[in-house]
Amino acid sequence: MRLGFSIGTLGPVASAPDEHLKLVREAERLGYESVWASEGYGADPATTLAWLAAGTERVELGSGIIQISGRTAVATAMAAATIDRLSGGRFRLGLGTSGPQVTEGWHGRRYERPLAHLRDYVQVVRTALAREPVRHAGPTLQLPLPDSRGKALSMAIGPVRQPLPIHLAAMGPKAIALAGEIADGWLPIHFPPEHVAESLDHLRSGAALAGRDPAEIAVSPMVMAMVDDDADYARDVVRPMLALYLGGMGSREVNFYNRLAHRLGFAAAAARVQEAYLGGGMGEAMEELPDDLVDALALCGTPDRVRERLDAYRKAGATTLVVGLNAPTLDDRLEQLGWLAELNS
């Protein structure tokens, strides 16, 4: 199992860009397989990854993830081909549906039939990246528009890699099966190793439907990580991010991360975290996060415990574990990168 490093949704634009480049270069030096940038409602991951491509030599660069509601499928294909060419063939395209709050509130699109739209979207992206004329007639996308003056166009450039790998963020059984059917990789977030292992059945069922070998699909769980001799301190470092996801990443009715905690057996605690976040904010939500829920969703604790959990992810079938860091200073994060690399060796 290799390691990846996620710089999150804001990355270098949130603070000193040189500090983030230093982290990414250190990850590259330590042998991390990949670096990932994600999309919320701020920094653009494609721009960030193009910038990182210029400052690195070997590490793979992944979008983890680009929201499919935020740009057309061909615009995503153009961005992917451009970054892949700028990086010399190091780009991985991670895609996800996001949720109704962002899709409808930020991008002005109805959050309807998300998996059907994701299927259509991936097919159009693949057609465009193959530099074939883009013609598609699906339930959510039609190109060119029927009864229009539209023409089936082909991309003027293509990626270095053919085919360029596409990874899908997926949390529910149907979404995981779709990743097994149409994607080159699966990006689960906040999944404990035990849940990764259980969910592989859904990935395999999707792969079987398409006549694919599931062993060829990359499995790259994304987790918050913190190693420290003081286990309580390690938990407290990752608590703010987990409270944000369970409490504020979605509405009261639709929060996929909160639903995950319910499936893992933490329904009461997850409900308290959400109520506290929506009623009072981050501090109150953090207080409602029990230690066992933090331990389930994050890779945190003493070196011995983190080594055990890394081994558990490896045995569960993870091919790459993508770690996010919430340590307070640059030096702390550099230390964490090294510590995790050593514990995974």
Side-chain angles (χ1 to χ4, degrees):
M1 183 180 73
R2 304 289 296 277
L3 288 178
F5 170 45
S6 171
I7 65 172
T9 59
L10 297 178
V13 302
S15 58
D18 288 347
E19 290 188 0
H20 284 270
L21 185 56
K22 188 173 183 178
L23 283 166
V24 169
R25 285 174 169 166
E26 178 65 3
E28 182 176 58
R29 187 190 71 80
L30 290 167
Y32 280 63
E33 176 208 45
S34 49
V35 171
W36 301 75
S38 54
E39 182 170 18
Y41 32 93
D44 171 51
T47 307
T48 298
L49 291 165
W51 178 73
L52 290 175
T56 55
E57 297 177 357
R58 301 178 305 279
V59 71
E60 297 266 315
L61 303 163
S63 58
I65 49 91
I66 282 176
Q67 302 163 353
I68 65 171
S69 57
R71 62 196 82 199
T72 66
V74 290
T76 293
M78 290 190 291
T82 302
I83 299 169
D84 198 56
R85 292 176 73 89
L86 291 173
S87 65
R90 293 187 281 139
F91 183 60
R92 302 175 180 186
L93 177 59
L95 299 172
T97 61
S98 188
Q101 274 198 327
V102 171
T103 300
E104 298 181 353
W106 187 243
H107 296 301
R109 291 182 54 94
R110 293 293 180 192
Y111 191 74
E112 298 171 343
R113 308 182 68 184
L115 294 186
H117 185 48
L118 185 57
R119 180 189 293 275
D120 280 347
Y121 197 97
V122 169
Q123 188 169 341
V124 171
V125 168
R126 288 200 186 280
T127 300
L129 289 174
R131 301 186 65 188
E132 298 173 0
V134 178
R135 298 185 180 90
H136 184 81
T140 71
L141 284 177
Q142 294 190 47
L143 291 171
L145 286 175
D147 302 320
S148 75
R149 291 165 290 180
K151 179 181 179 182
L153 301 173
S154 304
M155 279 183 58
I157 66 165
V160 173
R161 285 194 286 192
Q162 286 286 5
L164 186 143
I166 296 177
H167 298 237
L168 297 185
M171 300 182 71
K174 292 181 180 179
I176 297 169
L178 181 64
E181 183 183 350
I182 68 173
D184 303 293
W186 170 40
L187 294 167
I189 184 168
H190 303 319
F191 274 41
E194 298 81 8
H195 196 55
V196 171
E198 294 168 2
S199 300
L200 283 178
D201 286 341
H202 304 302
L203 196 76
R204 295 187 187 106
S205 67
L209 188 63
R212 305 176 65 204
D213 181 359
E216 296 179 355
I217 303 170
V219 177
S220 305
M222 309 183 85
V223 297
M224 293 302 301
M226 181 68 194
V227 189
D228 198 88
D229 292 325
D230 184 340
D232 289 333
Y233 173 72
R235 293 188 187 102
D236 287 343
V237 168
V238 302
R239 262 194 173 87
M241 191 61 69
L242 295 180
L244 172 63
Y245 272 89
L246 270 66
M249 287 290 197
S251 65
R252 192 184 303 275
E253 295 76 20
V254 183
N255 181 317
F256 300 121
Y257 311 103
N258 200 282
R259 288 180 182 175
L260 171 64
H262 277 66
R263 290 198 297 272
L264 296 175
F266 296 97
R272 290 195 303 270
V273 171
Q274 186 178 57
E275 286 301 317
Y277 188 94
L278 296 177
M282 180 73 76
E284 290 81 355
M286 288 168 56
E287 292 176 1
E288 293 293 343
L289 268 173
D291 289 351
D292 53 353
L293 179 52
V294 175
D295 289 342
L297 299 182
L299 178 70
C300 67
T302 65
D304 285 344
R305 183 183 188 278
V306 170
R307 185 184 289 110
E308 290 174 1
R309 297 301 276 173
L310 285 166
D311 190 50
Y313 274 109
R314 186 179 298 109
K315 291 177 179 176
T319 53
T320 300
L321 189 69
V322 182
V323 297
L325 301 177
N326 209 33
T329 70
L330 173 63
D331 287 342
D332 290 336
R333 297 186 184 200
L334 290 168
E335 181 183 49
Q336 288 294 309
L337 286 173
W339 213 339
L340 289 163
E342 180 181 344
L343 293 173
N344 191 53
S345 61

